[in-house]
Amino acid sequence: ALRPMREDDLLRFAWVADPQISPDGTRVAFTRVTVDAEADAYVTAIWLADVAGGSARPLTNGKWDSQPRWSPDGSAIAFVRKGDAEQPAQLHVLPMAGGEALKLTSLEKGASSPAWSPDGTRLAFLSGTNPALDAVKKPKPKNEPGRVVTSPMFRMDNEGFLDFDHLDHVWVIPAAGGEARQLTQG
């Protein structure tokens, strides 16, 4: 029997975000988003669907995987993954021939927005990591200190206060793994 929709029905929705068509045009990688009502959080995973039809299937099994990007030859997908809700996302590469995802970064402020080089040998990405400030580990205070707001833009929705010492910059890393290096300076 049909019933009217209730507000808790929204918690059972699953939706598609950030679809990316493979270079050969036969597949689509996308972020599937669901709600974990108990944790009051979104759960995301990378899924794959054939353009010709059929059922979509999960490609990753993380709880916080997103931003899939195909390599130019379609042999791999770069994406970002959070290890847990409190950790920043890090850049990974998953070979489409099978196998585990390779974690490329372990940056203090994480990585986002991956983009492949045209030859598929490198990935550019964004990170707010500031090597000069993040090398020294400072103990986290029990309570967040007071802030003096001097700019009309001081906070971002769903991100909190802007940290002007950790603004996003462009970084690059070899797609096979190696040292990440910052390209732009603040």
Side-chain angles (χ1 to χ4, degrees):
L2 292 176
R3 64 167 174 79
M5 187 172 176
R6 299 187 320 240
E7 66 276 357
D8 61 334
D9 290 335
L10 295 173
L11 301 176
R12 289 188 287 278
F13 281 178
W15 62 95
V16 170
D18 198 13
Q20 301 290 317
I21 299 172
S22 64
D24 66 5
T26 63
R27 299 171 290 178
V28 177
F30 60 91
T31 303
R32 181 179 185 265
V33 185
T34 57
V35 175
D36 180 343
E38 186 121 349
D40 190 26
Y42 293 115
V43 176
T44 58
I46 308 299
W47 280 51
L48 189 67
D50 289 325
V51 170
S55 298
R57 62 180 174 86
L59 196 56
T60 66
N61 60 3
K63 285 181 68 174
W64 300 286
D65 296 346
S66 61
Q67 301 179 11
R69 298 294 181 267
W70 290 94
S71 63
D73 65 1
S75 67
I77 290 181
F79 66 98
V80 296
R81 169 180 281 171
K82 293 176 74 167
D84 66 40
E86 303 304 316
Q87 293 179 344
Q90 301 294 342
L91 185 60
H92 291 69
V93 172
L94 178 68
M96 295 305 292
E100 293 296 315
L102 171 66
K103 181 178 179 182
L104 293 183
T105 62
S106 295
L107 295 169
E108 184 73 25
K109 298 296 179 181
S112 66
S113 305
W116 289 87
S117 64
D119 65 3
T121 62
R122 295 176 310 277
L123 282 151
F125 61 94
L126 297 178
S127 180
T129 300
N130 185 332
L133 297 177
D134 296 336
V136 178
K137 296 285 183 195
K138 297 178 187 170
K140 200 169 188 176
K142 181 178 177 184
N143 298 310
E144 192 171 322
R147 297 178 186 270
V148 176
V149 175
T150 60
S151 169
M153 181 77 165
F154 66 94
R155 189 178 176 110
M156 294 289 285
D157 286 344
N158 204 31
E159 291 185 25
F161 288 98
L162 293 176
D163 181 351
F164 292 101
D165 288 330
H166 292 91
L167 297 175
D168 278 345
H169 291 284
V170 177
W171 291 64
V172 69
I173 193 166
E179 187 75 28
R181 63 185 176 92
Q182 187 176 349
L183 293 184
T184 60
Q185 302 292 319

